[in-house]
Amino acid sequence: MQESGDPVSGAGWSNSFGRILAGILGLSLLLAPPALARDKKPKTIAGLPEAKALALGERMYREGILPSGEPMQSVVSTDVPVAGTSFSCASCHLRGGLGSWEGGIVTLPTNGAKLAQPRYWKFPNLSPEERAELKLQNPQARPAYTDPALARVIRVGIDPSGYELHAAMPRYELKDKDMAVLVHYLRNLSAEWSPGVDATTIRFATVITEEVRPEDQEAMLAPMNNYVARHNQLSSGFGNRMYLAPGGSEMSGAYRKLSLSVWRLKGAPETWDRQLSAYLAKEPVFALLGGISYGEWRPIHTFCENHRLPCLFPLTDLPVVSETDWYTQYFSKGYYQEGQAAARYLQSLDERAATERVLQIVQEGPEGRDLSAGFRETWQELGLGVAKQIRLGKGEQVDAVTLGAILQREQPTAVLLWTDASCFEALGDLAGRPEMPKFVFLASSRLGAQIYKLPEQARPFTWLTYPYRDPQVEPNVSKYANSLFAGFTNRNPETRIATRTYSMIQILIQGLMDMDRNYYRDNFMDRIGMQRDQVLPDYLRLSFGPGQRYASKGCYIMQLSPGPEPRLVRKSEWVTH
């Protein structure tokens, strides 16, 4: 038996023959014609290296900026000049290039795969091979695009069949070199399926960090595994005669079985990128679904941005708040959003005390950081100046002495107390004292179930940001999630892990249907962004839009009722950011 790395042994003649053969091959390489060297010359587009041309073409498509750095120039409605920066290709055809519809106008696909094929009026998603097998003779809506035909439709709006596109489609004034760069990008845009998809399966993964308790892991994994098992049973019906017809073939051809892997992260967050890279290299997946961590999601968010990997609704109160990042769709902005809601609610009150002397008292940690940032930035956006802020030291808590001293010194009319429940006793002692402010705000997500332990004497002047649906109404909506909880016995509704996972699955189901068989990651995120508002457990509503990455956009302001068993009482409409 020969093991890898062992020296080769054998008859002497074979070694001699090998040396002769090697010599001949080496000589032939030395004498190889220059054509071989020419074949290895890097491809260029309009004189640019291919990779650079792709990057510049992407910028033209997404941002409407020419390779020179100047805005692209276009004309809409025959004679209205429009800068490409305000009307880019991606604003209508979307980032994945599969098009959209709005205001009764359908924007057709411009991705490489679709441009390279004829378009048909009937059964447009069937492949050429499927059409041949089904012997379809439907007329073409247009033939495949050649490069000159692409340049013509971009410049004058006439497609290869001679049809003139709607006047809302900009006609771009591009030089030949710039046109070559844009056409090259379109040829490569969504031209091949993204990793994680093959002829039978779409592969997904979910991420769990090591500090997450087993019962919380189960709350997320049980509904996900139940859904995957249920989805994978659907294929058993595709042998039915109806699926052999063109319409059935088109529909069932978009179906793939699903697989779900669990990627477990250990150790310091600084090591997560390396761990995630190893997982992705070993098992390329199409997207991440859900995922859970008690800490900050930023390392996973950054990994997804760097690898252009979608991540759908991770369970975190510490998301990355960004107006430009693309690949992670969150339920909300988490703590940051509660800070925003407090600012907008105070600004809406017709009382001088609500905005006169506002003070944030912030406990150390990412929760206080995000709550105070959401309030501070929104307060300034509203034109209310700079709200004073006091940061507590490491491990410092708000007791009665500390709080009393701060209030006597600052004399605020409204206090945002971004701390844990350790402040409750101090708030109870504050009732009726001269330094008591008119408004005190707490964040309900920071307090969790302890919220109901707030001393009764503090309830009349304490307001709570509450990012979920009114608890009096919630059971009527959340009951639908029970359909995915089979075998899940340790349910704790307070965490909302299982119900939020159910919501993620409902949006995934719609996203898979809308994606059809166009398995491109950017298109997947585009289709999520095109969904209409969803009424699902926990949040009042989840709404979407191109590039919007925080589906729940508001909070309620609540107070606790008096009595030994208090309940939350709504004090505002849905405060949106």
Side-chain angles (χ1 to χ4, degrees):
M1 181 174 149
Q2 181 178 313
E3 295 185 11
S4 176
D6 283 353
V8 176
S9 61
W13 72 269
S14 60
N15 284 339
S16 300
F17 176 76
R19 285 194 291 272
I20 294 169
L21 180 59
I24 294 172
L25 289 173
L27 183 61
S28 64
L29 288 173
L30 288 173
L31 299 177
L36 284 179
R38 285 202 302 271
D39 290 344
K40 293 181 180 178
K41 187 177 180 181
K43 184 179 179 182
T44 60
I45 308 297
L48 297 167
E50 192 171 13
K52 185 172 183 180
L54 269 181
L56 292 172
E58 182 176 281
R59 190 171 68 164
M60 292 177 73
Y61 180 83
R62 293 183 181 176
E63 303 174 38
I65 297 177
L66 293 165
S68 65
E70 297 296 316
M72 293 167 63
Q73 298 299 321
S74 67
V75 174
V76 298
S77 301
T78 69
D79 59 357
V80 180
V82 176
T85 48
S86 58
F87 211 163
S88 70
C89 307
S91 60
C92 294
H93 296 280
L94 304 187
R95 190 145 155 169
L98 271 297
S100 63
W101 58 93
E102 186 171 356
I105 297 177
V106 176
T107 308
L108 295 172
T110 57
N111 63 308
K114 295 289 187 185
L115 294 174
Q117 297 177 11
R119 186 168 69 83
Y120 292 89
W121 295 111
K122 295 185 71 173
F123 313 119
N125 291 319
L126 289 176
S127 68
E129 295 77 16
E130 289 171 318
R131 303 189 80 86
E133 184 176 346
L134 291 165
K135 300 179 180 175
L136 288 179
Q137 300 294 325
N138 306 125
Q140 295 178 2
R142 63 150 175 81
Y145 272 98
T146 61
D147 287 358
L150 259 178
R152 184 171 78 148
V153 77
I154 291 169
R155 284 188 171 120
V156 300
I158 297 177
D159 78 2
S161 68
Y163 176 78
E164 183 168 4
L165 304 187
H166 194 281
M169 160 73 187
R171 277 61 167 169
Y172 290 94
E173 302 165 7
L174 295 177
K175 296 176 182 176
D176 289 347
K177 281 191 173 182
D178 296 335
M179 180 64 78
V181 171
L182 180 58
V183 167
H184 178 66
Y185 177 73
L186 294 176
R187 290 291 186 198
N188 287 276
L189 173 63
S190 300
E192 296 181 357
W193 288 349
S194 298
V197 181
D198 60 27
T200 61
T201 307
I202 307 177
R203 291 175 175 77
F204 294 101
T206 191
V207 173
I208 299 176
T209 54
E210 67 177 339
E211 82 284 1
V212 177
R213 292 182 289 273
E215 57 269 29
D216 288 348
Q217 296 183 32
E218 184 194 14
M220 182 185 73
L221 292 176
M224 292 173 79
N225 287 329
N226 284 336
Y227 163 65
V228 170
R230 185 181 301 177
H231 173 94
N232 288 346
Q233 291 173 351
L234 293 175
S235 61
S236 60
F238 288 157
N240 189 294
R241 181 181 297 177
M242 67 172 281
Y243 292 107
L244 303 179
S249 294
E250 186 176 54
M251 182 170 61
S252 61
Y255 173 84
R256 297 288 184 281
K257 290 194 173 186
L258 307 181
S259 73
L260 177 69
S261 298
V262 180
W263 293 356
R264 297 183 183 278
L265 301 181
K266 299 179 180 178
E270 294 77 19
T271 68
W272 292 358
D273 183 83
R274 176 169 48 79
Q275 296 177 50
L276 289 166
S277 295
Y279 275 124
L280 188 62
K282 182 179 180 182
E283 182 188 21
V285 296
F286 184 72
L288 301 181
L289 302 181
I292 185 169
S293 175
Y294 299 154
E296 300 198 55
W297 197 257
R298 180 175 291 279
I300 305 162
H301 175 106
T302 303
F303 175 84
C304 290
E305 286 299 310
N306 291 340
H307 291 266
R308 301 191 173 195
L309 179 66
C311 180
L312 201 59
F313 295 112
L315 299 171
T316 175
D317 289 320
L318 296 166
V320 173
V321 177
S322 167
E323 297 299 321
T324 56
D325 286 355
W326 174 262
Y327 287 98
T328 300
Q329 173 74 57
Y330 293 101
F331 280 112
S332 75
K333 293 181 180 176
Y335 291 119
Y336 184 93
Q337 189 160 306
E338 292 187 60
Q340 288 183 300
R344 292 195 176 277
Y345 180 71
L346 280 173
Q347 189 263 347
S348 72
L349 296 177
D350 189 20
E351 290 190 52
R352 184 178 176 183
T355 58
E356 187 177 15
R357 292 188 301 279
V358 177
L359 174 66
Q360 293 196 88
I361 300 176
V362 185
Q363 202 167 37
E364 186 187 51
E367 299 88 352
R369 177 201 64 201
D370 285 3
L371 284 160
S372 61
F375 182 87
R376 180 181 65 251
E377 292 170 13
T378 305
W379 199 249
Q380 292 176 345
E381 287 174 10
L382 294 171
L384 296 170
V386 178
K388 189 162 185 178
Q389 178 174 304
I390 294 176
R391 286 194 171 276
L392 303 178
K394 186 175 182 179
E396 189 177 358
Q397 296 182 340
V398 176
D399 56 24
V401 174
T402 303
L403 183 60
I406 292 174
L407 297 181
Q408 285 182 1
R409 184 177 70 245
E410 304 295 337
Q411 297 186 356
T413 52
V415 172
L416 295 305
L417 203 46
W418 302 137
T419 72
D420 58 23
S422 62
C423 67
F424 280 5
E425 185 177 348
L427 285 176
D429 290 345
L430 189 60
R433 292 173 58 175
E435 63 268 29
M436 185 184 81
K438 183 72 180 286
F439 302 97
V440 172
F441 276 78
L442 301 174
S444 66
S445 295
R446 183 78 176 91
L447 303 169
Q450 291 180 301
I451 192 174
Y452 297 102
K453 296 180 181 178
L454 181 70
E456 184 162 355
Q457 59 270 35
R459 296 175 197 166
F461 61 88
T462 303
W463 276 255
L464 301 154
T465 54
Y466 190 77
Y468 301 111
R469 178 180 288 109
D470 188 330
Q472 316 304 320
V473 183
E474 181 59 35
N476 293 332
V477 182
S478 290
K479 64 183 179 183
Y480 295 107
N482 295 337
S483 62
L484 283 177
F485 292 169
F488 174 34
T489 55
N490 297 317
R491 186 179 173 193
N492 180 7
E494 293 289 341
T495 67
R496 303 177 187 273
I497 294 172
T499 46
R500 283 186 286 173
T501 301
Y502 167 83
S503 297
M504 181 276 293
I505 291 169
Q506 303 313 303
I507 294 163
L508 170 67
I509 291 171
Q510 185 65 51
L512 291 175
M513 288 194 294
D514 293 344
M515 185 170 62
D516 203 273
R517 60 180 71 187
N518 302 301
Y519 300 112
Y520 316 107
R521 288 169 174 169
D522 281 348
N523 180 48
F524 179 60
M525 297 305 289
D526 284 338
R527 298 307 126 187
I528 298 294
M530 291 288 289
Q531 290 190 19
R532 63 184 179 183
D533 288 3
Q534 303 271 3
V535 178
L536 291 165
D538 298 312
Y539 302 98
L540 182 63
R541 78 177 64 85
L542 299 177
S543 57
F544 305 89
Q548 295 183 19
R549 291 293 173 260
Y550 309 94
S552 176
K553 298 174 173 61
C555 273
Y556 282 123
I557 303 299
M558 299 276 195
Q559 282 190 298
L560 283 173
S561 66
E565 295 183 0
R567 61 182 178 83
L568 288 166
V569 179
R570 217 173 72 192
K571 293 295 179 180
S572 76
E573 297 300 316
W574 190 244
V575 181
T576 57
H577 60 73

